[in-house]
Amino acid sequence: MDISKFRQFGKKIICIGRNYKALAAEQGNPIPKSPIVFFKPTTSYITPGDDIKIPPGCKEFFHEVELGVVIGSGGKNVSEDEAMDLVAGYSCCLDMTCWDFQCAAKADGQPWALAKGFDTACPVGDFISKDKVKDLSDVRIWLKIDGTTKQDSSTSDMIFTVPKIISYLSQYFTLEPGDLILTGSPAGAGPVASGETIEAGLEVNGETVSTIKYPVK
Ligand SMILES: O=C(O)/C=C/C(=O)CC(=O)C(=O)O
Ligand SMILES: [Mg+2]
């Protein structure tokens, strides 16, 4: 498991919320006018062989499979045309979420840090080099729990494309090599319980480019 491209720098995990049309509809949210941005601490990283751990007090623990974009060269105020030059590669990632904590925080206008940033909240997969994914516009992204499909969608449903996200973020945050950008969850984000096992993957033109497997404890 080569995560050197993540932890070697381990600068930022920047997450985009509500970036798939079908999930926004499913969760009763309006289509955002600009990307919804939040962070996960690098202490939330786990790699294959580790267990996802449900934080104390969480009663609604949700899975979200996401396309992770690994930044290879830094930049600030990058245009959409230049954005992909910053990308080193990708990874199949999970944005594990304490949904009950998140709903309470949203209702009270509070930040999502506890809902999204706890230890083990960012399981990642192998690093996929950029040349393995020639076209980002239609990458199949799926997730199963104990073999039952829960999420199965495509990046074609994204509201903001990867170049748009990179360009937008670079206006506010200097992007650095090793940064990871989680680009949002497709429809089907939902509960997972202790004792169940999550499998997820990315597929390009019918070829699997990455799969991950994580037990939930
Ligand atoms: O309720 C919302 O607006 C968004 C909830 C999320 O969990 C955002 C994401 O992490 C996502 O859409 O991937
Ligand atoms: Mg998410």
Side-chain angles (χ1 to χ4, degrees), residues 16-17 38 64 66 95 97 116 184-185:
I16 304 298
F38 59 93
E64 296 183 4
E66 305 200 8
D95 171 12
T97 303
K116 291 286 192 178
S185 171

Side-chain angles (χ1 to χ4, degrees), residues 64-68 91-95 122-125 180 182 212:
E64 296 183 4
V65 60
E66 305 200 8
L67 170 71
S91 184
C92 183
C93 301
L94 303 177
D95 171 12
C122 190
V124 296
L180 174 67
L182 296 192
I212 57 174

Side-chain angles (χ1 to χ4, degrees), residues 141-154:
I141 182 167
W142 59 266
L143 178 142
K144 297 180 180 178
I145 296 178
D146 291 349
T148 302
T149 298
K150 298 291 183 184
Q151 295 183 270
D152 191 348
S153 182
S154 163

